[in-house]
């Protein structure tokens, strides 16, 4: 029986002239024509300002992200764990297969298409102002290594109040972006704070594979500083008293990477996720000492093996400046980050200022901050002595790279200079 005659039989069986499968396909097509726009229509979009770090003037902010697969590099010296690590399919100088997002805001259709197979981890860092009118267009470029898969991608704003399931990115409840299509997600953030975003399609797999990133919302108090504070003063929240003011900000996407699962995705095998046993512990997609290497640019081959892990976790400030540390955990393990010799003040958990309805402040002075999976923390530090201080996971099992010797994993450095050492910060994590 040919496909055509089988289809004819299905139509006769259905009686209505359409088989069940044909009806479903027709339904999907109708949804697509309403919400997804035309196929690969990137070239029709005007050039857009990059909102990843900076802000356009006015409340309308547009970002264009692409979802695809690619290759990244774990720290040099990590021991072999064959066949999983290094992956035999990895092109030099890379060793680990990932899925991820790329910022393609303002790129031409040709440039967007050229990012296929060049995913980055951690995902582009997104910053918005409270009450911005945010449009994020997500284009699914497909998976170079897995043409057998027809996985969609989505954008899920984790921790946000989102009244519209269509834009919440949970495919079982609304829709995902199929390969070769794009979807614009609209959002208007109302509450300042530190959040995270991730793909929600086959989410255990896609999150582990690298489709996770930081997103934070700056408070309206920034636009009308408190009495006595100069224009341009930055706050983490609408605190009303200046207690969340900071000079510099650094954000950390906390994840783990299980080499075996990444290998299996590249080699057309499946993982039993109950076997989860991470090999690498990462800040912004890098393990120490890569965490303290300078930030890069995924469009620059000169960045070498960290080309597709462009976000540095090195923290720098001048003595007596206040630094805001934004931490979000999209790994599957609990993490407890310790900072040696400098007190930390936890001012918010899960994008909520630690203040009761009576106005009483519950900020927490500590040397260790717990961050569970799916949680975020905002922490202020004000070092009073120049020097280098380690920020690290106090579970020493998470301070290695693939079981190798020496320090590695979830660790970075707070570097404090004498007054004037570092000029004004223009972007987070710089
Ligand atoms: Cu995805």
């Amino acid at each position: 029986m040919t496909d055509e005659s089988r289809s004819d039989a299905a139509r006769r069986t259905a009686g209505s002239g359409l088989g069940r499968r044909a009806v479903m396909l027709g339904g999907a097509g109708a949804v697509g024509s309403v919400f997804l726009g035309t196929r690969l229509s990137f070239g029709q979009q005007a050039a857009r300002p990059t909102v990843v770090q900076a802000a356009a003037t006015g409340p309308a902010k547009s970002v264009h992200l692409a979802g695809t697969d690619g290759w990244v590099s774990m720290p040099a010296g990590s021991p072999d764990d064959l066949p999983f690590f290094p992956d035999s399919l990895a092109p030099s100088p890379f060793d680990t297969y990932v899925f991820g997002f790329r910022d393609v805001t303002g790129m031409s259709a040709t440039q967007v298409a050229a990012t296929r197979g060049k995913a980055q981890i951690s995902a582009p860092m997104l910053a918005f102002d409270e009450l911005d009118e945010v449009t994020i267009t997500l284009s699914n470029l497909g998976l170079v290594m897995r043409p057998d898969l027809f996985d969609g991608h989505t954008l899920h704003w984790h921790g946000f109040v989102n009244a519209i399931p269509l834009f919440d990115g949970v495919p079982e409840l609304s829709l995902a972006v199929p390969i070769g299509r794009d979807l614009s997600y609209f959002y208007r953030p109302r509450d300042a704070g530190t959040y995270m975003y991730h793909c929600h399609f086959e989410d255990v797999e896609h999150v582990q594979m690298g489709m996770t990133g930081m997103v934070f919302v700056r408070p309206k108090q920034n636009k009308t500083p408190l009495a006595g504070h100069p224009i341009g003063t930055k706050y983490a929240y609408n605190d009303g008293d200046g207690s969340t003011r900071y000079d510099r900000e650094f954000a950390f996407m906390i994840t783990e990477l299980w080499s075996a699962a990444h290998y299996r995705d590249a080699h057309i095998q499946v993982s039993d996720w109950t076997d989860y046993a991470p090999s690498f512990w990462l800040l912004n997609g890098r393990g120490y000492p890569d965490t303290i290497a300078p930030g890069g640019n995924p469009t620059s081959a000169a960045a070498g093996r960290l080309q597709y892990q462009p976000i540095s976790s090195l923290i720098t400030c001048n003595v007596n400046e206040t630094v805001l540390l934004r931490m979000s955990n999209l790994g599957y393990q609990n993490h407890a980050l310790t900072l040696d010799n400098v007190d930390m003040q936890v001012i918010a958990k899960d994008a909520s200022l630690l203040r009761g309805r009576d106005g009483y402040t519950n900020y927490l002075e500590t040397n260790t901050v717990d961050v569970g999976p799916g949680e975020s923390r905002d922490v202020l530090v004000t070092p009073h002595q120049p020097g280098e201080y380690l920020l690290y996971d106090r579970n020493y099992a998470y301070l290695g790279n693939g079981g190798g010797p020496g320090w590695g994993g979830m660790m970075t450095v707070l570097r404090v200079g004498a007054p004037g050492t570092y000029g004004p910060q223009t972007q987070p994590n710089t």
Side-chain angles (χ1 to χ4, degrees):
M1 186 184 267
T2 65
D3 280 344
E4 276 184 18
S5 60
R6 190 178 290 126
S7 166
D8 288 340
R11 287 199 186 96
R12 282 193 298 276
T13 305
S16 64
L18 283 173
R20 182 168 174 272
R21 178 173 162 77
V23 170
M24 290 176 70
L25 288 171
V31 170
S33 65
V34 172
F35 294 117
L36 297 179
T38 52
R39 187 179 182 83
L40 289 172
S41 60
F42 317 126
Q44 297 161 18
Q45 297 170 348
R48 296 165 160 178
T50 296
V51 193
V52 172
Q53 303 292 355
T57 51
K61 307 284 171 62
S62 294
V63 179
H64 188 179
L65 298 178
T68 184
D69 61 349
W71 297 93
V72 299
S73 173
M74 292 299 109
S78 302
D80 288 358
D81 178 19
L82 299 174
F84 307 127
F85 181 89
D87 192 317
S88 56
L89 295 175
S92 177
F94 307 110
D95 50 45
T96 302
Y97 181 59
V98 294
F99 298 170
F101 294 109
R102 279 285 299 274
D103 172 33
V104 294
T105 307
M107 287 188 182
S108 70
T110 305
Q111 290 169 324
V112 172
T115 63
R116 184 167 184 267
K118 297 176 178 174
Q120 83 171 48
I121 66 166
S122 176
M125 199 175 279
L126 307 176
F128 302 110
D129 293 328
E130 211 177 311
L131 297 182
D132 272 353
E133 293 156 12
V134 179
T135 304
I136 302 184
T137 299
L138 174 60
S139 298
N140 184 347
L141 304 182
L143 305 170
V144 170
M145 291 299 295
R146 294 299 302 273
D148 58 310
L149 292 181
F150 44 87
D151 285 27
H153 293 304
T154 73
L155 177 66
H156 173 64
W157 301 66
H158 182 95
F160 287 82
V161 178
N162 194 334
I164 307 173
L166 188 66
F167 301 136
D168 197 35
V170 181
E172 298 85 352
L173 300 178
S174 58
L175 76 169
V177 186
I179 294 169
R181 302 288 183 126
D182 56 281
L183 170 65
S184 289
Y185 292 81
F186 300 99
Y187 201 66
R188 195 163 198 224
R190 292 187 169 272
D191 301 303
T194 297
Y195 301 83
M196 61 211 89
Y197 71 97
H198 63 87
C199 174
H200 218 299
F201 192 96
E202 301 277 10
D203 53 341
V204 172
E205 178 190 12
H206 284 219
V207 165
Q208 165 59 206
M209 289 302 288
M211 307 193 87
T212 60
M214 299 288 298
V215 53
F216 41 88
V217 179
R218 298 195 165 108
K220 55 180 180 285
Q221 190 173 304
N222 280 1
K223 292 172 179 169
T224 53
L226 301 174
H229 287 182
I231 299 291
T233 300
K234 293 174 283 191
Y235 308 90
Y237 286 86
N238 295 304
D239 55 53
D241 60 7
S243 59
T244 70
R245 187 199 66 78
Y246 64 88
D247 299 296
R248 298 171 191 273
E249 65 184 329
F250 295 83
F252 305 92
M253 182 84 259
I254 296 168
T255 61
E256 310 100 26
L257 190 149
W258 182 23
S259 294
H262 288 244
Y263 169 91
R264 291 190 196 105
D265 259 30
H267 293 253
I268 318 185
Q269 301 174 42
V270 294
S271 291
D272 178 345
W273 295 99
T274 63
D275 287 342
Y276 188 60
S279 330
F280 296 93
W281 289 266
L282 308 179
L283 294 172
N284 293 323
R286 298 175 173 187
Y288 183 87
D290 292 343
T291 49
I292 62 172
N297 186 331
T299 62
S300 167
R305 46 174 286 272
L306 293 178
Q307 178 176 357
Y308 300 116
Q309 295 143 283
I311 306 174
S312 176
S313 294
L314 176 65
I315 311 161
T316 53
C317 71
N318 299 313
V319 72
N320 292 329
E321 286 184 335
T322 297
V323 178
L324 171 63
L325 306 177
R326 302 177 181 271
M327 306 172 178
S328 295
N329 181 353
L330 277 175
Y332 306 151
Q333 295 175 325
N334 212 71
H335 293 286
L337 295 175
T338 288
L339 179 60
D340 280 345
N341 296 316
V342 181
D343 288 342
M344 295 195 279
Q345 183 182 46
V346 182
I347 57 168
K349 295 182 175 182
D350 304 329
S352 298
L353 192 65
L354 294 178
R355 177 172 289 169
R357 292 184 182 189
D358 56 2
Y360 190 81
T361 294
N362 295 309
Y363 298 168
L364 172 67
E365 308 287 340
T366 182
N367 69 346
T368 302
V369 177
D370 284 295
V371 196
E375 296 183 345
S376 75
R377 297 288 183 271
D378 292 279
V379 177
L380 294 179
V381 296
T382 308
H384 299 299
Q385 297 289 334
E388 290 212 341
Y389 307 90
L390 291 175
L391 174 66
Y392 57 94
D393 194 311
R394 80 172 185 183
N395 183 338
Y396 286 0
Y398 304 163
L399 295 181
N401 293 323
W407 296 113
M410 197 167 286
M411 180 158 72
T412 188
V413 168
L414 165 62
R415 191 169 288 164
V416 182
T421 302
Y422 301 102
Q425 188 186 39
T426 55
Q427 301 211 325
N429 290 54
T430 59

